[in-house]
Amino acid sequence: MGGGSNNGVAAGNSSSSSKLLEILNVRVVGSGDRVLVLSHGFGTDQSAWNRVLPYFQRDFRIVLYDLVCAGSVNPDHFDFRRYTTLDAYVDDLLAILDALRVDRCFFVGHSVSAMIGILAAIRRPELFLKLVLVGASPRFLNDREYHGGFERDEIETVFAAMEANYKAWVTGYAPLAVGADVPAAVREFSRTLFNMRPDISLFVCRTVFNSDLRGVLGLVRAPCVVVQTAKDVSVPISVAAYLKAHLGGRTTVELLHTEGHLPHLSAPAALAHVLRRSIAR
């Protein structure tokens, strides 16, 4: 590890890894000894963390990056054959951490990035000191005994709406997802959704809704904190209890007294307070 510190970050050498750092707009900010990775969810990019960053920059080196599907990444880099499952996103995350020579980190993942973090921690348990999973779900579709929040036909209706008129879909979906009455957050989420190429957005949505991590949750060894808002259109409150019951590492649930799927946009101070407490514990 660079600088002789157990939790530091140093640049890797290989040209392919430095190209990945460039493609995914990887940034390292802050000045602490410990490494904190912030990984955004569907429909946003790393700018979603902007109002959370000030709470961590003094005490952490913070790794930020964009998922390859984000509108801030050149869409030519989105390989429809490669990104058919979440495993390819896990490959990207681990390649970034290896290129930066991170050997231990705290990981905060929102929405689909919570799934990505879970899979990464199963593959490389020594790398993750703790997972903080914000608006997380191992499976969005309902099953016989499991309430994920969505029926298959509901999701197909969503996909059809995205395909028919992406702009109209975003305009309807953004305020629902934000939930709370925070117009600036709705504007910001709409902006990053509109930045995504519609065909990529639809493809990623299909990938997420076809994913099912329930069978592997027990393989996670890292301690986990599940952060859930009081009302989230994408994730029923029962899912947080399901994650607590099934994740293999010691797991606690933190309920945020706010609404919506994007607390880092709608209630950044409240989320930052919970994140700091979760990491310190």
Side-chain angles (χ1 to χ4, degrees):
M1 273 280 324
S5 149
N6 230 14
N7 293 306
V9 181
N13 301 320
S14 104
S15 62
S16 67
S17 62
S18 62
K19 191 169 186 332
L20 181 72
L21 299 183
E22 192 183 325
I23 288 168
L24 299 182
N25 305 311
V26 176
R27 290 191 302 143
V28 182
V29 299
S31 55
D33 288 336
R34 296 170 296 169
V35 177
L36 174 66
V37 179
L38 299 178
S39 190
H40 70 84
F42 169 78
T44 60
D45 58 36
Q46 63 180 268
S47 68
W49 301 109
N50 282 355
R51 291 167 66 207
V52 171
L53 282 179
Y55 296 89
F56 294 94
Q57 277 176 276
R58 198 191 64 205
D59 300 315
F60 292 89
R61 300 262 279 164
I62 305 160
V63 177
L64 295 146
Y65 73 107
D66 294 330
L67 298 179
V68 70
C69 57
S72 44
V73 173
N74 182 333
D76 293 345
H77 294 299
F78 190 85
D79 181 342
F80 286 88
R81 286 161 312 188
R82 186 168 167 236
Y83 291 98
T84 49
T85 70
L86 296 179
D87 290 317
Y89 297 89
V90 176
D91 294 339
D92 287 348
L93 168 62
L94 295 175
I96 288 167
L97 297 180
D98 287 343
L100 296 174
R101 296 192 194 145
V102 173
D103 61 5
R104 311 193 61 198
C105 69
F106 295 93
F107 177 88
V108 177
H110 172 245
S111 190
V112 65
S113 274
M115 295 170 121
I116 292 165
I118 285 168
L119 292 170
I122 291 168
R123 214 191 286 180
R124 298 273 298 278
E126 77 291 344
L127 200 48
F128 297 92
L129 292 163
K130 184 173 282 186
L131 302 178
V132 184
L133 311 169
V134 183
S137 175
R139 175 67 166 170
F140 288 96
L141 291 177
N142 297 332
D143 217 337
R144 289 179 303 280
E145 302 290 309
Y146 172 79
H147 182 59
F150 298 89
E151 294 294 341
R152 171 63 73 179
D153 57 351
E154 287 179 283
I155 288 307
E156 291 302 335
T157 306
V158 170
F159 295 158
M162 292 176 78
E163 214 159 2
N165 188 334
Y166 185 68
K167 188 167 196 276
W169 174 76
V170 169
T171 306
Y173 173 64
L176 275 178
V178 170
D181 184 20
V182 185
V186 175
R187 280 196 302 275
E188 182 57 18
F189 188 41
S190 301
R191 179 186 72 79
T192 50
L193 277 166
F194 281 134
N195 274 349
M196 292 179 80
R197 215 172 69 190
D199 59 328
I200 293 176
S201 188
L202 176 60
F203 188 85
V204 174
C205 244
R206 285 190 185 279
T207 301
V208 171
F209 277 98
N210 285 326
S211 298
D212 187 351
L213 268 57
R214 288 174 297 169
V216 300
L217 297 176
L219 301 175
V220 175
R221 289 288 164 260
C224 298
V225 180
V226 176
V227 180
Q228 173 82 16
T229 63
K231 186 179 174 196
D232 181 339
V233 69
S234 299
V235 185
I237 201 104
S238 57
V239 170
Y242 184 92
L243 286 167
K244 179 172 168 48
H246 291 86
L247 280 161
R250 190 178 70 251
T251 302
T252 51
V253 174
E254 288 276 359
L255 278 179
L256 271 180
H257 300 293
T258 181
E259 287 192 14
H261 189 56
L262 300 122
H264 43 340
L265 294 183
S266 59
L271 177 65
H273 179 68
V274 165
L275 293 180
R276 280 194 73 94
R277 194 170 69 221
S278 300
I279 289 165
R281 189 167 46 212

